[in-house]
């Protein structure tokens, strides 16, 4: 028990992963085999079912396959009591310092999850777009006796993310005299098209999209006379991208004839370039003819 408190869920999970049996959790038609670690050798046998998608530690399950609450299968005597909690430690949009509670069932007689007390109804995972994979953790507790979960009770069908904020550590500290962590496993999931529907039709909120903001490209201080560098390319490095795009568009419009279909040059390098033109201008003309660098838009195919 000291080890559970000191090292936390992840360390405990990794240290105990090879020593204890499994519990099966399936979602809809895709059964997920979660490795619920047993801290003590209670009777809990692996149930074998064909054509299942096993989940151990961090297996990937598509968000679209988690729309229906999971049915947890394990073998225990009816006179024993259990608590099952499902949380996401990574995806609480309302309070980043806490987990998001997806499911909570207490006072489960034996393995009959449906007969347990629904403390918080099931809410399917909805990893936002742009955040990558999020973890969804199942923790199974062995109860010493029937417990009162009124403090943790959420309204039926609760869809408030703030009300679903949860701390596994706080919950366990308050109930450690009557609860013993019996098993733990987790899967990972990332955004897919089904998540958009969850935000719009279930949570009734605008879907957040996260994007990485790239820092501006670093350029050293501009020189008045750069040595051995084509000055037009050197100046382009310090130009605003909109200014470059405007130059390309103006050049493109010079050659647009709305009465004729667009036809790219068949032999762009066949026309001679003035011999007396400076090297930088020769290079620019060749780039424009061949659609190189920023001039690639000049030769886009028209529909």
């Amino acid at each position: 028990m000291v080890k559970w408190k000191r090292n936390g869920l992840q360390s405990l999970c990794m240290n105990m992963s090879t020593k204890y049996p499994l519990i099966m959790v399936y979602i809809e038609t895709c059964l997920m085999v979660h490795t619920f670690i047993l801290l003590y050798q209670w009777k809990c046998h692996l149930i074998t079912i064909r054509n299942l998608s096993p989940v151990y530690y961090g297996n990937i399950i598509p968000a679209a396959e988690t729309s229906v609450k999971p049915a947890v299968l394990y073998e225990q005597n009816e006179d024993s009591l259990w608590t099952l909690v499902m949380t996401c430690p990574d995806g609480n949009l309302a309070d980043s310092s806490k987990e998001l509670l997806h499911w909570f069932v207490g006072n489960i007689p034996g393995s009959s999850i449906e007969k347990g007390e629904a403390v918080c109804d099931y809410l399917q995972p909805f990893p936002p777009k742009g955040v990558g994979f999020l973890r969804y953790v199942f923790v199974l507790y062995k109860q010493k006796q029937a417990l009162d979960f009124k403090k943790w009770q959420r309204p039926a069908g609760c869809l408030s993310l703030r009300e679903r904020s949860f701390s596994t550590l706080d919950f366990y500290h308050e109930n450690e005299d009557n609860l013993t962590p019996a098993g733990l496993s987790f899967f990972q999931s990332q955004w897919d098209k089904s998540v958009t529907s969850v935000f719009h039709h279930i949570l009734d909120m605008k879907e957040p999209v996260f994007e990485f903001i790239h820092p501006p490209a670093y350029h050293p201080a501009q020189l008045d006379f750069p040595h051995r560098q084509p000055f037009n390319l050197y100046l382009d490095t310090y130009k605003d991208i909109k200014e470059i795009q405007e130059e390309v568009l103006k050049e493109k419009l010079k050659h647009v004839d709305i009465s004729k279909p667009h036809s790219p040059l068949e032999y762009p390098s066949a026309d001679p370039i003035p011999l007396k033109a400076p090297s930088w201008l020769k290079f620019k003309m060749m780039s424009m003819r061949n659609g190189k660098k920023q001039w690639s838009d000049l030769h886009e195919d028209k529909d």
Side-chain angles (χ1 to χ4, degrees):
M1 300 305 295
V2 175
K3 190 173 186 180
W4 172 273
K5 298 179 191 177
R6 184 178 301 168
N7 295 342
L9 296 179
Q10 186 173 5
S11 298
L12 181 67
C13 179
M14 298 305 295
N15 292 337
M16 306 292 284
S17 60
T18 61
K19 300 180 181 179
Y20 297 95
L22 306 177
I23 286 181
M24 287 190 161
V25 176
Y26 70 87
I27 290 185
E28 201 173 12
T29 57
C30 174
L31 188 93
M32 306 190 305
V33 183
H34 288 276
T35 52
F36 281 91
I37 308 161
L38 300 182
L39 299 180
Y40 302 99
Q41 294 183 3
W42 293 311
K43 183 180 179 182
C44 185
H45 302 292
L46 174 65
I47 304 173
T48 304
I49 302 179
R50 296 181 181 179
N51 300 322
L52 307 180
S53 178
V55 174
Y56 299 101
Y57 289 93
N59 293 50
I60 297 172
I61 296 295
E65 296 183 8
T66 64
S67 59
V68 178
K69 71 177 180 180
V72 183
L73 307 179
Y74 60 97
E75 296 180 1
Q76 281 296 331
N77 297 326
E78 287 295 321
D79 57 355
S80 62
L81 292 174
W82 301 80
T83 294
L84 179 66
V85 180
M86 175 187 176
T87 63
C88 176
D90 307 316
N92 191 337
L93 299 174
D95 186 351
S96 60
S97 65
K98 293 187 177 181
E99 303 156 65
L100 184 68
L101 182 61
H102 282 270
W103 196 29
F104 190 147
V105 184
N107 295 320
I108 302 170
S111 58
S112 302
I113 303 292
E114 68 281 357
K115 296 181 181 179
E117 176 185 349
V119 181
C120 182
D121 292 336
Y122 178 75
L123 177 63
Q124 69 183 92
F126 49 94
K129 187 174 185 179
V131 301
F133 289 96
L134 301 187
R135 298 166 295 171
Y136 296 89
V137 184
F138 290 84
V139 182
L140 183 71
Y141 300 92
K142 168 75 172 180
Q143 297 180 207
K144 289 185 178 180
Q145 59 187 11
L147 299 177
D148 184 1
F149 291 108
K150 287 183 179 179
K151 178 178 179 180
W152 311 98
Q153 185 74 45
R154 268 53 172 185
C158 175
L159 297 176
S160 169
L161 301 186
R162 189 164 298 280
E163 290 184 4
R164 282 182 175 265
S165 295
F166 185 81
S167 172
T168 297
L169 185 62
D170 293 344
F171 170 73
Y172 179 66
H173 278 332
E174 292 191 25
N175 298 278
E176 59 184 330
D177 292 336
N178 296 305
L179 291 178
T180 301
L184 180 151
S185 71
F186 72 99
F187 69 95
Q188 299 182 82
S189 189
Q190 67 175 342
W191 182 91
D192 60 28
K193 292 182 179 179
S194 69
V195 175
T196 300
S197 178
V198 175
F199 277 107
H200 291 173
H201 302 119
I202 297 179
L203 297 176
D204 192 21
M205 61 182 290
K206 184 178 180 181
E207 180 182 16
V209 177
F210 295 87
E211 296 181 355
F212 181 77
I213 301 177
H214 295 272
Y218 170 75
H219 298 296
Q222 188 171 353
L223 302 176
D224 292 334
F225 304 100
H227 182 61
R228 297 181 66 85
Q229 296 189 53
F231 84 94
N232 59 319
L233 299 182
Y234 182 78
L235 293 178
D236 285 348
T237 304
Y238 295 90
K239 283 183 179 179
D240 188 336
I241 185 64
K242 293 182 179 179
E243 185 178 349
I244 295 176
Q245 292 173 344
E246 181 181 355
E247 182 183 4
V248 173
L249 180 60
K250 287 181 178 179
E251 185 66 29
K252 188 174 183 178
L253 291 176
K254 291 179 183 178
H255 306 282
V256 171
D257 187 348
I258 60 175
S259 64
K260 298 179 181 179
H262 174 74
S263 57
L265 295 175
E266 187 172 1
Y267 304 105
S269 300
D271 293 337
I273 293 178
L275 294 178
K276 295 184 179 181
S279 59
W280 67 267
L281 182 57
K282 292 180 181 179
F283 182 82
K284 179 178 180 180
M285 293 175 67
M286 290 301 298
S287 296
M288 293 172 64
R289 291 182 181 183
N290 291 282
K292 300 293 181 65
K293 298 185 178 296
Q294 69 263 37
W295 304 104
S296 59
D297 289 347
L298 290 179
H299 304 289
E300 283 184 336
D301 292 335
K302 304 288 184 176
D303 294 331

